[in-house]
Structures are given as structure tokens and as C-alpha cells.
């Protein structure tokens, strides 16, 4: 107990500094902790946690050092899982997720992150099952937000809206919550709500490239002449080979009309994209960089 009381100031400072995005200062605290006890697995795990925001290679290295001393360090495993996910390094991500589900079956975020991977892979049904487990375990806003998106992808709009309301009530200023509920609203063709979510996300994290890109894409859909040519909702739920067969059939049966549709779609896409650029950036070039 006395040992934990000695550690507590480091933990408090690290968490506070990370919440302020003062990562280098948090790194100094973690390094000072390790100087006190170089073989402390918990200190090494927190060092890896901070490095996730600064240098992912070092985050993997120090989480490995922590696991060498404590193979069941949940924080070290968590850092590795998030690094693999953010890098889209899917094979080690999947192996790590499976091992973590064995070691820490009560941690909801593992189910949620695996579900997010499955959604990227278009495996919506399995993702939904995992998200229901995540919600039952942690009741977190992020789990509800991702479930809202998965439900919308499945056409379960009432369930999607209910989960969205819960997520936004719990954490209305969480960027990930705003992104996923924005995608859910977009999937339900509720472009006004989608734009509200993406606008809020980009205000909270204006330097993040993903939030900027999602905001601009959603803003583009606010132009009716582009939106009217978007794929109907039932097509969004079709598999790629089904869409290909539909296009072939349309090409054979309605070739002139299909050609006109393609021309109108391309024209509306670029006109709306140009209008969005002028509305946001004027006639200047869009800024580059920022964190992804």
C-alpha cells in the first residue's frame, strides 16, 4: 500500500498532462518514475502509454519491456492494441486482440476496437455482436457511438438513433463519439445531423486531418444537386458483386440514361467539392499537415 502511495503522484501527473496534450511533460514524469525503479513493469507500461502519442515505435518497444516483466500488464497490452489499430497493422492487431480477450474478458474496449476493425472489413453482423458485449461491459459513450453506426449500416435506424442519443448524452465533446454518430447519421441519410456532428468534431480537434476530411465530405453532401445523385440506401447495404451485377444490367438495358447519370454525378461531385472549398478556404489552397 505504501508503494502505491509513492507511485500515485506520478500517475496523477501523467494522466493530467496527457489530458492537456502536454505529452513531452508527461514523458518526463514517466521517465522520472522509471529512474526511481528501472525494472518497475507498471512504470514501463505508463512510459509506453505516453509514447503512443509521440513515437509509436518506442511505444511498442517499452510496452514489450513492460510485458517481459509482467506478461499480464493490461496497460502494456492496451497500448500495443491501439498502436496496431492506428497503424492499420491488422495481423498483429488481430493476434493481440484475441490474446487480450483471453486475458481480460471483462474489458469492453477490446470488443469495441475489434468491432471497429470488423466494420472496416464490412463484417457488420459480427461487429454488432461484439459491440453489444462492449456496451454491456463498459456502458461507454464510444461503445454506444460505434454501435449506433453498426446499427445504421444494418438498416436498424431506431436502434441506431437510441444508441446515438445515449452516446451524445454521456460524452457530447468526445471526438470519436462525434465521428461515429456523424457516420451513423450519414448512413441514415440525415445529412443535417451528420454535418452538426462533424462540425462539432472539427471545432474540438481542428488539427486532426481525419476530422477535417470528414467535415468537408459531409459539407459537400449539403448541396442538394450532389446529394440527389448519391446511391440510395438499399444500394449501400449491397455487396460489391451485387452492385457490379446491377451496373452491368443497367448498362445493357438503359445505356443512354446510365451515361447521362454518370456525367451528372461526376459534374455534381466536382462542382459541390469546389463550392465547399470556396466556402471553407476561400480561393486559397487547403492547408496540409496536421495529425491523422
Amino acid at each position: 500500500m505504501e508503494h502505491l502511495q509513492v507511485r500515485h503522484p506520478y500517475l496523477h501527473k501523467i494522466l493530467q498532462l496527457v489530458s492537456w496534450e502536454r505529452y513531452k511533460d508527461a514523458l518526463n514524469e514517466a521517465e522520472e518514475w522509471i529512474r526511481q525503479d528501472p525494472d518497475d513493469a507498471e512504470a514501463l507500461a505508463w512510459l509506453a502509454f505516453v509514447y503512443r502519442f509521440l513515437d509509436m515505435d518506442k511505444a511498442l518497444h517499452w510496452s514489450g519491456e513492460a510485458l517481459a516483466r509482467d506478461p499480464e500488464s493490461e496497460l502494456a497490452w492496451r497500448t500495443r492494441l491501439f498502436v496496431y489499430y492506428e497503424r492499420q497493422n491488422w495481423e498483429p492487431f488481430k493476434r493481440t486482440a484475441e490474446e487480450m480477450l483471453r486475458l481480460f474478458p471483462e474489458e469492453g474496449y477490446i470488443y469495441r476496437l475489434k468491432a471497429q476493425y470488423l466494420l472496416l472489413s464490412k463484417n457488420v453482423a459480427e461487429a454488432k455482436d461484439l459491440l453489444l458485449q462492449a456496451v454491456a461491459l463498459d456502458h461507454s459513450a464510444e461503445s454506444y457511438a460505434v454501435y449506433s453506426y453498426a446499427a445504421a449500416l444494418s438498416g436498424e435506424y431506431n436502434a441506431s438513433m437510441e444508441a446515438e442519443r445515449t452516446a451524445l448524452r454521456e460524452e457530447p465533446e468526445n471526438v470519436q463519439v462525434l465521428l461515429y454518430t456523424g457516420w451513423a447519421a450519414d448512413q441514415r441519410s440525415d445529412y443535417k445531423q451528420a454535418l452538426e456532428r462533424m462540425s462539432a468534431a472539427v471545432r474540438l480537434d481542428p488539427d486532426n486531418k481525419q476530422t477535417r476530411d470528414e467535415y468537408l465530405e459531409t459539407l459537400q453532401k449539403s448541396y442538394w444537386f450532389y446529394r440527389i445523385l448519391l446511391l440510395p440506401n438499399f444500394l449501400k447495404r449491397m455487396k460489391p458483386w451485387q452492385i457490379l451485377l446491377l451496373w452491368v444490367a443497367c448498362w445493357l438495358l438503359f445505356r443512354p440514361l446510365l451515361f447521362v447519370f454518370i456525367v451528372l454525378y461526376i459534374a455534381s461531385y466536382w462542382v459541390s467539392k469546389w463550392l465547399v472549398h470556396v466556402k471553407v478556404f476561400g480561393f486559397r489552397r487547403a492547408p496540409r499537415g496536421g495529425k491523422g
Side-chain angles (χ1 to χ4, degrees):
M1 189 68 176
E2 181 181 347
H3 191 38
L4 291 176
Q5 288 174 343
V6 171
R7 293 178 179 182
H8 183 270
Y10 290 114
L11 284 178
H12 177 76
K13 289 178 183 177
I14 289 169
L15 289 170
Q16 187 68 74
L17 290 166
V18 167
S19 71
W20 292 337
E21 298 186 5
R22 289 171 52 186
Y23 301 122
K24 290 184 178 179
D25 291 333
L27 184 62
N28 291 335
E29 291 294 329
E31 288 174 336
E32 178 60 29
W33 186 356
I34 289 171
R35 277 191 286 271
Q36 302 295 322
D37 189 349
D39 286 320
D40 188 330
E42 186 177 2
L44 291 166
W46 280 103
L47 180 66
F49 170 81
V50 176
Y51 263 126
R52 178 188 153 201
F53 304 98
L54 296 169
D55 186 327
M56 290 188 180
D57 287 331
K58 290 183 178 179
L60 290 176
H61 170 77
W62 289 111
S63 62
E65 290 294 315
L67 290 172
R69 292 159 176 80
D70 179 6
E72 295 187 3
S73 169
E74 188 266 332
L75 179 60
W77 279 108
R78 184 193 314 186
T79 297
R80 297 178 78 80
L81 186 70
F82 275 92
V83 167
Y84 291 139
Y85 181 86
E86 289 163 11
R87 284 183 160 180
Q88 298 187 357
N89 199 346
W90 298 129
E91 287 307 314
F93 170 83
K94 288 187 287 185
R95 291 195 300 269
T96 302
E98 289 306 312
E99 182 63 14
M100 290 185 71
L101 288 174
R102 184 185 70 81
L103 290 171
F104 316 110
E106 301 302 315
E107 294 291 344
Y109 73 88
I110 307 171
Y111 299 86
R112 186 189 79 243
L113 214 61
K114 185 178 179 182
Q116 289 175 210
Y117 160 72
L118 291 171
L119 289 175
L120 291 172
S121 307
K122 309 299 183 185
N123 192 340
V124 178
E126 189 177 347
K128 275 179 52 189
D129 290 341
L130 287 171
L131 288 165
L132 287 172
Q133 290 177 273
V135 167
L137 287 168
D138 63 17
H139 306 288
S140 72
E142 289 190 15
S143 293
Y144 276 109
V146 181
Y147 179 76
S148 174
Y149 177 52
L153 286 171
S154 301
E156 300 172 11
Y157 292 167
N158 288 336
S160 173
M161 289 186 287
E162 183 178 350
E164 178 185 279
R165 285 192 292 269
T166 301
L168 291 169
R169 183 173 63 248
E170 295 298 321
E171 293 193 43
E173 295 188 349
N174 181 312
V175 172
Q176 287 299 305
V177 166
L178 291 166
L179 282 175
Y180 272 97
T181 55
W183 290 331
D186 179 83
Q187 189 65 32
R188 300 193 306 264
S189 299
D190 190 342
Y191 300 115
K192 181 179 178 182
Q193 278 199 3
L195 184 58
E196 288 177 0
R197 307 283 181 266
M198 298 306 177
S199 299
V202 84
R203 283 196 301 272
L204 287 168
D205 195 0
D207 295 327
N208 188 302
K209 186 178 184 299
Q210 183 186 24
T211 58
R212 292 200 310 267
D213 290 347
E214 292 294 340
Y215 168 68
L216 294 175
E217 184 178 334
T218 307
L219 187 60
Q220 186 176 3
K221 293 176 183 176
S222 67
Y223 292 99
W224 65 269
F225 56 85
Y226 173 61
R227 191 168 67 238
I228 201 171
L229 294 171
L230 291 176
L231 290 176
N233 280 333
F234 78 92
L235 285 180
K236 295 179 183 178
R237 297 194 293 273
M238 293 178 70
K239 296 179 180 178
W241 66 268
Q242 294 173 320
I243 294 174
L244 177 62
L245 284 179
L246 182 62
W247 273 99
V248 171
C250 289
W251 179 255
L252 293 174
L253 298 174
F254 311 107
R255 189 174 303 179
L257 289 176
L258 190 61
F259 179 75
V260 171
F261 176 87
I262 292 172
V263 171
L264 287 173
Y265 179 84
I266 293 172
S268 67
Y269 174 84
W270 287 108
V271 169
S272 60
K273 193 173 184 69
W274 178 78
L275 289 172
V276 165
H277 182 95
V278 172
K279 182 175 182 179
V280 176
F281 304 110
F283 292 95
R284 297 176 291 106
R285 180 176 295 181
R288 294 181 179 180
K291 56 186 179 180

